[in-house]
Amino acid sequence: MHELPVVEDVIRVVGEQAEDRHLKRVSRITLVIGELSSVIDESVQMYFELLAEGTLCEGAALAFEHVPATLRCTACGSEFPHTHGFSCPRCGG
């Protein structure tokens, strides 16, 4: 259910940007989704199809790009993939 406000914001932001650029319609939107976001592609697609009706986004194709989580150690500043867990592999922080 938390996908609903996400989709509302996507349509609002994309619509504003399209209007600023004097576009008549949006044909494709790529969403970059972080590994830890718990956003479900199918739910986003469903809400998008309903909420985009009558907007510049109506009929636009959604593309989903999933990216792994990257963490930054507060002790040493090292960045590491979430696959290492939450402990820093460099300093143990």
Side-chain angles (χ1 to χ4, degrees), residues 14-51:
V14 170
E16 289 171 358
Q17 292 297 313
E19 286 178 3
D20 288 350
R21 290 168 174 77
H22 307 288
L23 302 177
K24 295 184 182 186
R25 67 184 284 272
V26 175
S27 59
R28 180 181 172 91
I29 300 170
T30 301
L31 299 173
V32 180
I33 300 173
E35 168 186 16
L36 301 178
S37 70
S38 73
V39 170
I40 300 170
D41 297 3
E42 292 81 11
S43 294
V44 170
Q45 184 70 51
M46 178 192 69
Y47 285 126
F48 182 80
E49 289 170 7
L50 292 170
L51 297 175

Side-chain angles (χ1 to χ4, degrees), residues 36-80:
L36 301 178
S37 70
S38 73
V39 170
I40 300 170
D41 297 3
E42 292 81 11
S43 294
V44 170
Q45 184 70 51
M46 178 192 69
Y47 285 126
F48 182 80
E49 289 170 7
L50 292 170
L51 297 175
E53 286 183 20
T55 73
L56 293 175
C57 297
E58 184 173 4
L62 287 183
F64 298 92
E65 181 181 326
H66 295 273
V67 295
T70 301
L71 306 176
R72 177 176 289 135
C73 178
T74 57
C76 73
S78 177
E79 290 188 4
F80 55 95

